[in-house]
Structure formats: structure tokens, C-alpha cells
Amino acid sequence: MKPGSVAVVGAAETTKMGVIPDQSVIGLHADAALNAMADAGLKPSDIDGVATAGISPTELAWYLGIKPTYADGTSVGGCSFMLHVRHAAAAIAAGHAKTILVTHGESGKSRVGAGRFGAAPSSLAGQFEMPYGPVGPPSMFTVPVLRYLKTYGLGEEDLANVAVVQREWAAKNPRATFKDPITVDDVLNSRMIAWPFRILMCCLVTDGGGALILTSADRAKDFPTKPVYVLGTGESVETPLVSQMYDATSSTAFRISGRKAFEEAGIKHADVDHLMVYDAFAHLPLYGLEDLGFCKPGEAAAFIREGNTRPGGKLPLNTNGGGLSYMHSGMYGMYALQESVRQMRGIAPAQVPGAKISVCQGVGGMFGAAGTVIFGNERP
Amino acid sequence: MPRMLPEATPETRHFWDGCKEGELRLQRCTACSDSYFPPRPFCPKCGSRDVEAYKASGDAILWSYVINHRPRPDMGTEPYAIAVVKLAEGPTMMTNIVDCPQTPEALRLDMPLTVSFSKQSDDISLPLFAPAK
């Protein structure tokens, strides 16, 4: 894809966020989709491509009354939406569709119309991980981290500090679930979940959704909002088993996806004004900063400690407060994308002054997949 | 509540039969001699189908872990460690650490471990690991 040839022209989250017992999963998808269409000044009949995860694109299209020429049901966990954006950009460039809707909705907290989480006993996870007692992501996604900490001489306080800094950003976001300041001691004294992870190092569990609408950059100028251009994208998948990561101290999928996106966008790290790294748990921003090449291996904790990612720092990171403080419905990638788009439009509650390039990194499964989207607000 | 147990597939049957017989069976490629896990009927490094199962040493080191505090009714022994061990032959494997206090003080990364099979049913014994004597 030529950098900047496709743009986001509609972006919105669900009307409500947090605990939404009166809307089902499909209802949250539709609410976000209708909000994004309103943002772009479009009707369902104007959409000719659909992409979603969690539910099928068939359900989404039919529920909204869309008869598409393009459907993408890529479902690799929380970064699926980054992959949807990537595939949509390619599809628009190829002429498969002109106006593509990407949606997310999840009743993570209230579980209204939601499926069950679990692996069949004959699957790889069912045979080689589940028998040993994991209780969902908090005791699986976190398993490699002690090896990372030992390799680089880091400790629990380095994980805690990630949560502290993100809470500073959350305080500036009216829609963030948690806004009160916290200290490293608060984090280290919070309830134990899976040592060394305490509850304040783990993401929220909430309800919500979001949607994006993409079209060609040539058409984008005719829409009511400031176009946000897709400069470069990447994706990769690694393993369905966290115990089988190629390297416990680094996400191979992040490295492949990030490198591809930077190459495609033709930018350098110094060009990046704003960064989102999907933070299901406090170690994700550390891996993300290193695997995307913003820090050398083992140096991300010090980079955060020195204030580089906090408000006023040189690389504002997770400016909505992240999955740790803003919201996390289960597949958080959509909210990271929404915040990148807000920052590029210049309308984020914690706006980074003059930001022109935003990198948005997603993770899927437990280090199972990765997706990267680099946005810009100027067409190259 | 009985513990959540694996269901073998044709590709993994030799591994679970080995556990039942007190053997940790890995596979290796006869072309490139790479040892790998979990089981599959080809080498994930070079793609060759010329692979063989063999009895591994059962020696490993503690590679990484968490100590889970959340309830899991079929375990019922919280807090317990969910560990990844690095086998002497190279591959990593998720498991539990037995005969050892489930504390950060007792569970030291890189400590030597030995496999120990825990019978769960007529068909399934789980490969767990204990501190090496």
C-alpha cells in the first residue's frame, strides 16, 4: 500500500462505556457502528465492506442491513482490529470495496449475549497448558515475565510503575474508568492475582465497543472530519501457547509486525509523536517499547521511570489511560485505535500538542498475534 | 470437580502414552536433529516428516512462572505455580512444580528440576516437575 492512500473518516466508541447491562454484544457493535457512521455522515447503505472479530462479519452486516462486497472475519484476539485496518487498506487499494466499516463490541463485564471462554480438551491449549491450572489471561499472559525481569535485573516495582504512569493519563480522560492517582506502593500493596502480578497491574474488565470507517484518501477530503491517514501497517502471529514463545523476553510477532509497519510508512522512530501499546497487563508496554525498537532490550522500564512516556514526556504512551485504567472489554485493540485517531484529529482529552504521527500496537491472545497501524494527519 | 485433563489426538497419543508409562517422550527430526514440543508428525524447523519419538532425560530448569491466587475449582490448591520449564533437550513446556513450597523464595528461576508423573485417570498422567535431588 502507498503510505497515506487510505484514511479513517469515521471513528467512535459506544455511547456508554464501563458497565452496560442493557446492551448485548451485537448491540454494542451496532451502537458503535451507528456512532461511527454518524461521525462520517454515512448510512448503512453507504458501507460496502465489513470487518469484525468476536462476532462474524455475517452477523454484523445483516444486523446493520449492509450488503457488502468485502467481508473480513480475521479473529486473532485483541489486535484483530489492527489487522482489519490493514486488510481494509489493501482491499480499498485493490478496489474490493470503497467504504469499509470495522467494529468491536464486547460485554466483557456484564456478559450479555456473550460466548464462553475456553479451550477444547483436545486442542493444543487443552492438552498442553490448561491442565496446569491457568485461570484466564491473568495467569497465562503473565507467565513469561519473571524470565524477562531476571534477564534484565528488573523487579516488581518496574511493573508497578507502568500502571502508575498510565493512571496519570487516565486522570485527564473523563471516560476513563479509574482516574484517581496511584503510587508504586499502592500497586504493590493491591490484591495478589498471579505473583508477581497484582490487580492494579491487570487490565479492567468492562463493557463497550468502537468502530472505524475507512475509505480512500482521495475521497476522505469530502467527509466532515479531519482525515487520519494510514501510513503503514504490519501484522504477524506467533503461537497459541504462551509457553511456546520463541523467546520469553520478547514478542517475535511484535518485532515482525512493527518492522513491517515502519518500513511501509517510511518513518523513523524519532518521527513518532504518540504511541499506543495494547496493555492487557503491565508488562506489555515494556515489551512493546523494546520490540518496536523505541528502546533497547531491557531498557524500557528505565525509559518509563525517567518520565519519557508520561504527560509532557517525549513519547506520550497510552494517553487514554490504557487497558489498565481506561477500559478493557476483552479485545482492547479497538480502543487503542480510537485514541490514536483522536490524537491525530487533535481532539483527544489528553491531547499531545502538535502530534502528527501515531503508532498503534496491538497484541492478540497471550503474545499470540500482533498488529501495528501507523497513522498520520498529513498526507505524505 | 475432576481436574481438567487433556484429550489425546492421533498426533499426540505417543506423548500421553509415554507419560502413562513413566517416560517423557519428545520428538526429534532425523534430518536436522532438532528436538521439539508439543508433538506433531513433522519437524517445525525444516518441515521434514522423518521424525522419531524418544525418551527425554526428564531434566529441566525452571524457566518462568506465576503463582496463581485466583480460584480454579478443579485445582483447589491455590496459590499454586503455573510454570514453564526448559527441558535439557531444548524445548519449553508448561507444567506445575511439585514437592516444593509454592513461594517466590522457594521457586528460584534456573533451579534444576526432574520430571515426575502424576496419575490423574486411567488414560492420563501429567508430567510435573520437582526440584532435582
mmCIF file with all atom_site columns, all heavy atoms in Angstrom, chain A residues 310-336:
data_model
loop_
_atom_site.group_PDB
_atom_site.id
_atom_site.type_symbol
_atom_site.label_atom_id
_atom_site.label_alt_id
_atom_site.label_comp_id
_atom_site.label_asym_id
_atom_site.label_entity_id
_atom_site.label_seq_id
_atom_site.pdbx_PDB_ins_code
_atom_site.Cartn_x
_atom_site.Cartn_y
_atom_site.Cartn_z
_atom_site.occupancy
_atom_site.B_iso_or_equiv
_atom_site.pdbx_formal_charge
_atom_site.auth_seq_id
_atom_site.auth_comp_id
_atom_site.auth_asym_id
_atom_site.auth_atom_id
_atom_site.pdbx_PDB_model_num
ATOM 1   N N   . ARG A 1 310 ? 5.206   9.802   30.188 1.00 0.00 ? 310 ARG A N   1
ATOM 2   C CA  . ARG A 1 310 ? 4.137   10.433  30.968 1.00 0.00 ? 310 ARG A CA  1
ATOM 3   C C   . ARG A 1 310 ? 3.740   11.768  30.324 1.00 0.00 ? 310 ARG A C   1
ATOM 4   O O   . ARG A 1 310 ? 4.368   12.220  29.368 1.00 0.00 ? 310 ARG A O   1
ATOM 5   C CB  . ARG A 1 310 ? 4.586   10.630  32.416 1.00 0.00 ? 310 ARG A CB  1
ATOM 6   C CG  . ARG A 1 310 ? 5.722   11.613  32.570 1.00 0.00 ? 310 ARG A CG  1
ATOM 7   C CD  . ARG A 1 310 ? 5.905   12.110  34.011 1.00 0.00 ? 310 ARG A CD  1
ATOM 8   N NE  . ARG A 1 310 ? 5.462   11.174  35.004 1.00 0.00 ? 310 ARG A NE  1
ATOM 9   C CZ  . ARG A 1 310 ? 6.238   10.637  35.950 1.00 0.00 ? 310 ARG A CZ  1
ATOM 10  N NH1 . ARG A 1 310 ? 7.529   10.935  35.998 1.00 0.00 ? 310 ARG A NH1 1
ATOM 11  N NH2 . ARG A 1 310 ? 5.730   9.836   36.857 1.00 0.00 ? 310 ARG A NH2 1
ATOM 12  N N   . PRO A 1 311 ? 2.675   12.396  30.834 1.00 0.00 ? 311 PRO A N   1
ATOM 13  C CA  . PRO A 1 311 ? 2.291   13.696  30.278 1.00 0.00 ? 311 PRO A CA  1
ATOM 14  C C   . PRO A 1 311 ? 3.480   14.669  30.286 1.00 0.00 ? 311 PRO A C   1
ATOM 15  O O   . PRO A 1 311 ? 4.155   14.806  31.305 1.00 0.00 ? 311 PRO A O   1
ATOM 16  C CB  . PRO A 1 311 ? 1.177   14.161  31.228 1.00 0.00 ? 311 PRO A CB  1
ATOM 17  C CG  . PRO A 1 311 ? 0.587   12.888  31.763 1.00 0.00 ? 311 PRO A CG  1
ATOM 18  C CD  . PRO A 1 311 ? 1.733   11.933  31.879 1.00 0.00 ? 311 PRO A CD  1
ATOM 19  N N   . GLY A 1 312 ? 3.756   15.263  29.129 1.00 0.00 ? 312 GLY A N   1
ATOM 20  C CA  . GLY A 1 312 ? 4.894   16.162  28.999 1.00 0.00 ? 312 GLY A CA  1
ATOM 21  C C   . GLY A 1 312 ? 6.166   15.474  28.557 1.00 0.00 ? 312 GLY A C   1
ATOM 22  O O   . GLY A 1 312 ? 7.146   16.139  28.225 1.00 0.00 ? 312 GLY A O   1
ATOM 23  N N   . GLY A 1 313 ? 6.179   14.132  28.538 1.00 0.00 ? 313 GLY A N   1
ATOM 24  C CA  . GLY A 1 313 ? 7.365   13.385  28.123 1.00 0.00 ? 313 GLY A CA  1
ATOM 25  C C   . GLY A 1 313 ? 7.532   13.387  26.619 1.00 0.00 ? 313 GLY A C   1
ATOM 26  O O   . GLY A 1 313 ? 6.643   13.818  25.880 1.00 0.00 ? 313 GLY A O   1
ATOM 27  N N   . LYS A 1 314 ? 8.688   12.862  26.145 1.00 0.00 ? 314 LYS A N   1
ATOM 28  C CA  . LYS A 1 314 ? 8.968   12.949  24.711 1.00 0.00 ? 314 LYS A CA  1
ATOM 29  C C   . LYS A 1 314 ? 8.233   11.890  23.893 1.00 0.00 ? 314 LYS A C   1
ATOM 30  O O   . LYS A 1 314 ? 8.100   12.021  22.685 1.00 0.00 ? 314 LYS A O   1
ATOM 31  C CB  . LYS A 1 314 ? 10.471  12.898  24.460 1.00 0.00 ? 314 LYS A CB  1
ATOM 32  C CG  . LYS A 1 314 ? 11.125  11.561  24.739 1.00 0.00 ? 314 LYS A CG  1
ATOM 33  C CD  . LYS A 1 314 ? 12.608  11.610  24.364 1.00 0.00 ? 314 LYS A CD  1
ATOM 34  C CE  . LYS A 1 314 ? 13.264  10.264  24.688 1.00 0.00 ? 314 LYS A CE  1
ATOM 35  N NZ  . LYS A 1 314 ? 14.718  10.294  24.532 1.00 0.00 ? 314 LYS A NZ  1
ATOM 36  N N   . LEU A 1 315 ? 7.751   10.821  24.534 1.00 0.00 ? 315 LEU A N   1
ATOM 37  C CA  . LEU A 1 315 ? 6.983   9.806   23.804 1.00 0.00 ? 315 LEU A CA  1
ATOM 38  C C   . LEU A 1 315 ? 5.722   9.442   24.595 1.00 0.00 ? 315 LEU A C   1
ATOM 39  O O   . LEU A 1 315 ? 5.680   8.433   25.296 1.00 0.00 ? 315 LEU A O   1
ATOM 40  C CB  . LEU A 1 315 ? 7.836   8.551   23.556 1.00 0.00 ? 315 LEU A CB  1
ATOM 41  C CG  . LEU A 1 315 ? 7.172   7.472   22.686 1.00 0.00 ? 315 LEU A CG  1
ATOM 42  C CD1 . LEU A 1 315 ? 6.856   7.996   21.295 1.00 0.00 ? 315 LEU A CD1 1
ATOM 43  C CD2 . LEU A 1 315 ? 8.048   6.226   22.602 1.00 0.00 ? 315 LEU A CD2 1
ATOM 44  N N   . PRO A 1 316 ? 4.689   10.277  24.494 1.00 0.00 ? 316 PRO A N   1
ATOM 45  C CA  . PRO A 1 316 ? 3.451   10.008  25.228 1.00 0.00 ? 316 PRO A CA  1
ATOM 46  C C   . PRO A 1 316 ? 2.895   8.624   24.856 1.00 0.00 ? 316 PRO A C   1
ATOM 47  O O   . PRO A 1 316 ? 2.741   8.313   23.675 1.00 0.00 ? 316 PRO A O   1
ATOM 48  C CB  . PRO A 1 316 ? 2.514   11.122  24.763 1.00 0.00 ? 316 PRO A CB  1
ATOM 49  C CG  . PRO A 1 316 ? 3.428   12.215  24.304 1.00 0.00 ? 316 PRO A CG  1
ATOM 50  C CD  . PRO A 1 316 ? 4.606   11.508  23.702 1.00 0.00 ? 316 PRO A CD  1
ATOM 51  N N   . LEU A 1 317 ? 2.637   7.818   25.884 1.00 0.00 ? 317 LEU A N   1
ATOM 52  C CA  . LEU A 1 317 ? 2.275   6.410   25.680 1.00 0.00 ? 317 LEU A CA  1
ATOM 53  C C   . LEU A 1 317 ? 0.957   6.103   26.380 1.00 0.00 ? 317 LEU A C   1
ATOM 54  O O   . LEU A 1 317 ? 0.793   6.398   27.563 1.00 0.00 ? 317 LEU A O   1
ATOM 55  C CB  . LEU A 1 317 ? 3.389   5.523   26.251 1.00 0.00 ? 317 LEU A CB  1
ATOM 56  C CG  . LEU A 1 317 ? 3.103   4.025   26.395 1.00 0.00 ? 317 LEU A CG  1
ATOM 57  C CD1 . LEU A 1 317 ? 2.941   3.375   25.028 1.00 0.00 ? 317 LEU A CD1 1
ATOM 58  C CD2 . LEU A 1 317 ? 4.223   3.338   27.174 1.00 0.00 ? 317 LEU A CD2 1
ATOM 59  N N   . ASN A 1 318 ? 0.034   5.509   25.652 1.00 0.00 ? 318 ASN A N   1
ATOM 60  C CA  . ASN A 1 318 ? -1.259  5.080   26.208 1.00 0.00 ? 318 ASN A CA  1
ATOM 61  C C   . ASN A 1 318 ? -1.982  6.240   26.889 1.00 0.00 ? 318 ASN A C   1
ATOM 62  O O   . ASN A 1 318 ? -2.336  6.196   28.069 1.00 0.00 ? 318 ASN A O   1
ATOM 63  C CB  . ASN A 1 318 ? -1.068  3.878   27.142 1.00 0.00 ? 318 ASN A CB  1
ATOM 64  C CG  . ASN A 1 318 ? -0.655  2.642   26.358 1.00 0.00 ? 318 ASN A CG  1
ATOM 65  O OD1 . ASN A 1 318 ? -0.803  2.602   25.140 1.00 0.00 ? 318 ASN A OD1 1
ATOM 66  N ND2 . ASN A 1 318 ? -0.140  1.648   27.042 1.00 0.00 ? 318 ASN A ND2 1
ATOM 67  N N   . THR A 1 319 ? -2.216  7.261   26.089 1.00 0.00 ? 319 THR A N   1
ATOM 68  C CA  . THR A 1 319 ? -2.719  8.536   26.576 1.00 0.00 ? 319 THR A CA  1
ATOM 69  C C   . THR A 1 319 ? -4.198  8.534   26.965 1.00 0.00 ? 319 THR A C   1
ATOM 70  O O   . THR A 1 319 ? -4.701  9.543   27.459 1.00 0.00 ? 319 THR A O   1
ATOM 71  C CB  . THR A 1 319 ? -2.495  9.615   25.493 1.00 0.00 ? 319 THR A CB  1
ATOM 72  O OG1 . THR A 1 319 ? -3.015  9.098   24.253 1.00 0.00 ? 319 THR A OG1 1
ATOM 73  C CG2 . THR A 1 319 ? -1.023  9.923   25.317 1.00 0.00 ? 319 THR A CG2 1
ATOM 74  N N   . ASN A 1 320 ? -4.888  7.405   26.716 1.00 0.00 ? 320 ASN A N   1
ATOM 75  C CA  . ASN A 1 320 ? -6.263  7.306   27.230 1.00 0.00 ? 320 ASN A CA  1
ATOM 76  C C   . ASN A 1 320 ? -6.266  6.693   28.631 1.00 0.00 ? 320 ASN A C   1
ATOM 77  O O   . ASN A 1 320 ? -7.305  6.629   29.281 1.00 0.00 ? 320 ASN A O   1
ATOM 78  C CB  . ASN A 1 320 ? -7.155  6.479   26.281 1.00 0.00 ? 320 ASN A CB  1
ATOM 79  C CG  . ASN A 1 320 ? -6.623  5.069   26.053 1.00 0.00 ? 320 ASN A CG  1
ATOM 80  O OD1 . ASN A 1 320 ? -5.546  4.711   26.541 1.00 0.00 ? 320 ASN A OD1 1
ATOM 81  N ND2 . ASN A 1 320 ? -7.369  4.277   25.314 1.00 0.00 ? 320 ASN A ND2 1
ATOM 82  N N   . GLY A 1 321 ? -5.108  6.232   29.088 1.00 0.00 ? 321 GLY A N   1
ATOM 83  C CA  . GLY A 1 321 ? -5.017  5.515   30.365 1.00 0.00 ? 321 GLY A CA  1
ATOM 84  C C   . GLY A 1 321 ? -4.826  4.022   30.166 1.00 0.00 ? 321 GLY A C   1
ATOM 85  O O   . GLY A 1 321 ? -4.478  3.307   31.088 1.00 0.00 ? 321 GLY A O   1
ATOM 86  N N   . GLY A 1 322 ? -5.089  3.574   28.929 1.00 0.00 ? 322 GLY A N   1
ATOM 87  C CA  . GLY A 1 322 ? -4.822  2.186   28.575 1.00 0.00 ? 322 GLY A CA  1
ATOM 88  C C   . GLY A 1 322 ? -5.817  1.190   29.127 1.00 0.00 ? 322 GLY A C   1
ATOM 89  O O   . GLY A 1 322 ? -6.790  1.544   29.798 1.00 0.00 ? 322 GLY A O   1
ATOM 90  N N   . GLY A 1 323 ? -5.546  -0.053  28.838 1.00 0.00 ? 323 GLY A N   1
ATOM 91  C CA  . GLY A 1 323 ? -6.379  -1.142  29.355 1.00 0.00 ? 323 GLY A CA  1
ATOM 92  C C   . GLY A 1 323 ? -6.315  -1.209  30.869 1.00 0.00 ? 323 GLY A C   1
ATOM 93  O O   . GLY A 1 323 ? -7.230  -1.719  31.518 1.00 0.00 ? 323 GLY A O   1
ATOM 94  N N   . LEU A 1 324 ? -5.262  -0.675  31.443 1.00 0.00 ? 324 LEU A N   1
ATOM 95  C CA  . LEU A 1 324 ? -5.111  -0.699  32.906 1.00 0.00 ? 324 LEU A CA  1
ATOM 96  C C   . LEU A 1 324 ? -6.055  0.279   33.596 1.00 0.00 ? 324 LEU A C   1
ATOM 97  O O   . LEU A 1 324 ? -6.463  0.041   34.728 1.00 0.00 ? 324 LEU A O   1
ATOM 98  C CB  . LEU A 1 324 ? -3.661  -0.374  33.293 1.00 0.00 ? 324 LEU A CB  1
ATOM 99  C CG  . LEU A 1 324 ? -2.586  -1.361  32.826 1.00 0.00 ? 324 LEU A CG  1
ATOM 100 C CD1 . LEU A 1 324 ? -1.202  -0.882  33.243 1.00 0.00 ? 324 LEU A CD1 1
ATOM 101 C CD2 . LEU A 1 324 ? -2.839  -2.766  33.377 1.00 0.00 ? 324 LEU A CD2 1
ATOM 102 N N   . SER A 1 325 ? -6.371  1.416   32.926 1.00 0.00 ? 325 SER A N   1
ATOM 103 C CA  . SER A 1 325 ? -7.172  2.441   33.605 1.00 0.00 ? 325 SER A CA  1
ATOM 104 C C   . SER A 1 325 ? -8.353  2.981   32.793 1.00 0.00 ? 325 SER A C   1
ATOM 105 O O   . SER A 1 325 ? -9.309  3.482   33.365 1.00 0.00 ? 325 SER A O   1
ATOM 106 C CB  . SER A 1 325 ? -6.286  3.638   33.995 1.00 0.00 ? 325 SER A CB  1
ATOM 107 O OG  . SER A 1 325 ? -5.433  3.303   35.059 1.00 0.00 ? 325 SER A OG  1
ATOM 108 N N   . TYR A 1 326 ? -8.271  2.904   31.446 1.00 0.00 ? 326 TYR A N   1
ATOM 109 C CA  . TYR A 1 326 ? -9.342  3.500   30.639 1.00 0.00 ? 326 TYR A CA  1
ATOM 110 C C   . TYR A 1 326 ? -10.526 2.542   30.531 1.00 0.00 ? 326 TYR A C   1
ATOM 111 O O   . TYR A 1 326 ? -11.599 2.789   31.069 1.00 0.00 ? 326 TYR A O   1
ATOM 112 C CB  . TYR A 1 326 ? -8.813  3.846   29.244 1.00 0.00 ? 326 TYR A CB  1
ATOM 113 C CG  . TYR A 1 326 ? -9.829  4.512   28.341 1.00 0.00 ? 326 TYR A CG  1
ATOM 114 C CD1 . TYR A 1 326 ? -10.274 5.802   28.617 1.00 0.00 ? 326 TYR A CD1 1
ATOM 115 C CD2 . TYR A 1 326 ? -10.336 3.864   27.216 1.00 0.00 ? 326 TYR A CD2 1
ATOM 116 C CE1 . TYR A 1 326 ? -11.218 6.424   27.798 1.00 0.00 ? 326 TYR A CE1 1
ATOM 117 C CE2 . TYR A 1 326 ? -11.268 4.481   26.398 1.00 0.00 ? 326 TYR A CE2 1
ATOM 118 C CZ  . TYR A 1 326 ? -11.706 5.755   26.689 1.00 0.00 ? 326 TYR A CZ  1
ATOM 119 O OH  . TYR A 1 326 ? -12.629 6.372   25.877 1.00 0.00 ? 326 TYR A OH  1
ATOM 120 N N   . MET A 1 327 ? -10.307 1.457   29.849 1.00 0.00 ? 327 MET A N   1
ATOM 121 C CA  . MET A 1 327 ? -11.315 0.402   29.754 1.00 0.00 ? 327 MET A CA  1
ATOM 122 C C   . MET A 1 327 ? -10.660 -0.815  29.123 1.00 0.00 ? 327 MET A C   1
ATOM 123 O O   . MET A 1 327 ? -9.624  -0.710  28.486 1.00 0.00 ? 327 MET A O   1
ATOM 124 C CB  . MET A 1 327 ? -12.533 0.873   28.947 1.00 0.00 ? 327 MET A CB  1
ATOM 125 C CG  . MET A 1 327 ? -12.437 0.739   27.450 1.00 0.00 ? 327 MET A CG  1
ATOM 126 S SD  . MET A 1 327 ? -12.938 -0.901  26.903 1.00 0.00 ? 327 MET A SD  1
ATOM 127 C CE  . MET A 1 327 ? -14.689 -0.905  27.260 1.00 0.00 ? 327 MET A CE  1
ATOM 128 N N   . HIS A 1 328 ? -11.260 -1.983  29.304 1.00 0.00 ? 328 HIS A N   1
ATOM 129 C CA  . HIS A 1 328 ? -10.793 -3.197  28.632 1.00 0.00 ? 328 HIS A CA  1
ATOM 130 C C   . HIS A 1 328 ? -11.957 -4.177  28.607 1.00 0.00 ? 328 HIS A C   1
ATOM 131 O O   . HIS A 1 328 ? -12.306 -4.769  29.606 1.00 0.00 ? 328 HIS A O   1
ATOM 132 C CB  . HIS A 1 328 ? -9.594  -3.797  29.363 1.00 0.00 ? 328 HIS A CB  1
ATOM 133 C CG  . HIS A 1 328 ? -8.885  -4.859  28.560 1.00 0.00 ? 328 HIS A CG  1
ATOM 134 N ND1 . HIS A 1 328 ? -9.467  -6.065  28.254 1.00 0.00 ? 328 HIS A ND1 1
ATOM 135 C CD2 . HIS A 1 328 ? -7.657  -4.879  27.984 1.00 0.00 ? 328 HIS A CD2 1
ATOM 136 C CE1 . HIS A 1 328 ? -8.609  -6.780  27.527 1.00 0.00 ? 328 HIS A CE1 1
ATOM 137 N NE2 . HIS A 1 328 ? -7.509  -6.081  27.348 1.00 0.00 ? 328 HIS A NE2 1
ATOM 138 N N   . SER A 1 329 ? -12.535 -4.314  27.425 1.00 0.00 ? 329 SER A N   1
ATOM 139 C CA  . SER A 1 329 ? -13.712 -5.175  27.306 1.00 0.00 ? 329 SER A CA  1
ATOM 140 C C   . SER A 1 329 ? -13.330 -6.611  27.003 1.00 0.00 ? 329 SER A C   1
ATOM 141 O O   . SER A 1 329 ? -14.170 -7.497  27.058 1.00 0.00 ? 329 SER A O   1
ATOM 142 C CB  . SER A 1 329 ? -14.625 -4.631  26.209 1.00 0.00 ? 329 SER A CB  1
ATOM 143 O OG  . SER A 1 329 ? -13.882 -4.505  25.014 1.00 0.00 ? 329 SER A OG  1
ATOM 144 N N   . GLY A 1 330 ? -12.075 -6.846  26.641 1.00 0.00 ? 330 GLY A N   1
ATOM 145 C CA  . GLY A 1 330 ? -11.638 -8.186  26.256 1.00 0.00 ? 330 GLY A CA  1
ATOM 146 C C   . GLY A 1 330 ? -10.720 -8.108  25.049 1.00 0.00 ? 330 GLY A C   1
ATOM 147 O O   . GLY A 1 330 ? -9.623  -8.627  25.057 1.00 0.00 ? 330 GLY A O   1
ATOM 148 N N   . MET A 1 331 ? -11.190 -7.426  24.001 1.00 0.00 ? 331 MET A N   1
ATOM 149 C CA  . MET A 1 331 ? -10.356 -7.187  22.824 1.00 0.00 ? 331 MET A CA  1
ATOM 150 C C   . MET A 1 331 ? -10.136 -5.678  22.722 1.00 0.00 ? 331 MET A C   1
ATOM 151 O O   . MET A 1 331 ? -10.846 -4.971  22.013 1.00 0.00 ? 331 MET A O   1
ATOM 152 C CB  . MET A 1 331 ? -11.019 -7.757  21.572 1.00 0.00 ? 331 MET A CB  1
ATOM 153 C CG  . MET A 1 331 ? -11.088 -9.282  21.614 1.00 0.00 ? 331 MET A CG  1
ATOM 154 S SD  . MET A 1 331 ? -11.590 -10.008 20.042 1.00 0.00 ? 331 MET A SD  1
ATOM 155 C CE  . MET A 1 331 ? -13.340 -9.664  20.073 1.00 0.00 ? 331 MET A CE  1
ATOM 156 N N   . TYR A 1 332 ? -9.138  -5.211  23.454 1.00 0.00 ? 332 TYR A N   1
ATOM 157 C CA  . TYR A 1 332 ? -8.934  -3.777  23.664 1.00 0.00 ? 332 TYR A CA  1
ATOM 158 C C   . TYR A 1 332 ? -8.406  -3.024  22.431 1.00 0.00 ? 332 TYR A C   1
ATOM 159 O O   . TYR A 1 332 ? -8.474  -1.798  22.375 1.00 0.00 ? 332 TYR A O   1
ATOM 160 C CB  . TYR A 1 332 ? -7.972  -3.591  24.856 1.00 0.00 ? 332 TYR A CB  1
ATOM 161 C CG  . TYR A 1 332 ? -7.398  -2.216  25.018 1.00 0.00 ? 332 TYR A CG  1
ATOM 162 C CD1 . TYR A 1 332 ? -8.116  -1.218  25.690 1.00 0.00 ? 332 TYR A CD1 1
ATOM 163 C CD2 . TYR A 1 332 ? -6.145  -1.901  24.510 1.00 0.00 ? 332 TYR A CD2 1
ATOM 164 C CE1 . TYR A 1 332 ? -7.587  0.057   25.844 1.00 0.00 ? 332 TYR A CE1 1
ATOM 165 C CE2 . TYR A 1 332 ? -5.612  -0.624  24.658 1.00 0.00 ? 332 TYR A CE2 1
ATOM 166 C CZ  . TYR A 1 332 ? -6.339  0.351   25.317 1.00 0.00 ? 332 TYR A CZ  1
ATOM 167 O OH  . TYR A 1 332 ? -5.815  1.608   25.464 1.00 0.00 ? 332 TYR A OH  1
ATOM 168 N N   . GLY A 1 333 ? -7.893  -3.741  21.457 1.00 0.00 ? 333 GLY A N   1
ATOM 169 C CA  . GLY A 1 333 ? -7.231  -3.088  20.320 1.00 0.00 ? 333 GLY A CA  1
ATOM 170 C C   . GLY A 1 333 ? -8.026  -1.946  19.705 1.00 0.00 ? 333 GLY A C   1
ATOM 171 O O   . GLY A 1 333 ? -7.460  -0.927  19.300 1.00 0.00 ? 333 GLY A O   1
ATOM 172 N N   . MET A 1 334 ? -9.337  -2.090  19.634 1.00 0.00 ? 334 MET A N   1
ATOM 173 C CA  . MET A 1 334 ? -10.172 -1.042  19.056 1.00 0.00 ? 334 MET A CA  1
ATOM 174 C C   . MET A 1 334 ? -10.041 0.281   19.823 1.00 0.00 ? 334 MET A C   1
ATOM 175 O O   . MET A 1 334 ? -10.058 1.361   19.219 1.00 0.00 ? 334 MET A O   1
ATOM 176 C CB  . MET A 1 334 ? -11.634 -1.499  19.031 1.00 0.00 ? 334 MET A CB  1
ATOM 177 C CG  . MET A 1 334 ? -12.614 -0.448  18.545 1.00 0.00 ? 334 MET A CG  1
ATOM 178 S SD  . MET A 1 334 ? -12.255 0.218   16.895 1.00 0.00 ? 334 MET A SD  1
ATOM 179 C CE  . MET A 1 334 ? -12.924 -1.065  15.838 1.00 0.00 ? 334 MET A CE  1
ATOM 180 N N   . TYR A 1 335 ? -9.901  0.224   21.144 1.00 0.00 ? 335 TYR A N   1
ATOM 181 C CA  . TYR A 1 335 ? -9.821  1.465   21.938 1.00 0.00 ? 335 TYR A CA  1
ATOM 182 C C   . TYR A 1 335 ? -8.472  2.139   21.754 1.00 0.00 ? 335 TYR A C   1
ATOM 183 O O   . TYR A 1 335 ? -8.373  3.364   21.793 1.00 0.00 ? 335 TYR A O   1
ATOM 184 C CB  . TYR A 1 335 ? -10.098 1.168   23.414 1.00 0.00 ? 335 TYR A CB  1
ATOM 185 C CG  . TYR A 1 335 ? -11.396 0.408   23.576 1.00 0.00 ? 335 TYR A CG  1
ATOM 186 C CD1 . TYR A 1 335 ? -11.392 -0.973  23.666 1.00 0.00 ? 335 TYR A CD1 1
ATOM 187 C CD2 . TYR A 1 335 ? -12.620 1.067   23.548 1.00 0.00 ? 335 TYR A CD2 1
ATOM 188 C CE1 . TYR A 1 335 ? -12.571 -1.696  23.752 1.00 0.00 ? 335 TYR A CE1 1
ATOM 189 C CE2 . TYR A 1 335 ? -13.804 0.356   23.633 1.00 0.00 ? 335 TYR A CE2 1
ATOM 190 C CZ  . TYR A 1 335 ? -13.777 -1.026  23.735 1.00 0.00 ? 335 TYR A CZ  1
ATOM 191 O OH  . TYR A 1 335 ? -14.942 -1.733  23.810 1.00 0.00 ? 335 TYR A OH  1
ATOM 192 N N   . ALA A 1 336 ? -7.428  1.331   21.542 1.00 0.00 ? 336 ALA A N   1
ATOM 193 C CA  . ALA A 1 336 ? -6.115  1.904   21.235 1.00 0.00 ? 336 ALA A CA  1
ATOM 194 C C   . ALA A 1 336 ? -6.195  2.639   19.894 1.00 0.00 ? 336 ALA A C   1
ATOM 195 O O   . ALA A 1 336 ? -5.701  3.760   19.753 1.00 0.00 ? 336 ALA A O   1
ATOM 196 C CB  . ALA A 1 336 ? -5.059  0.805   21.204 1.00 0.00 ? 336 ALA A CB  1
#
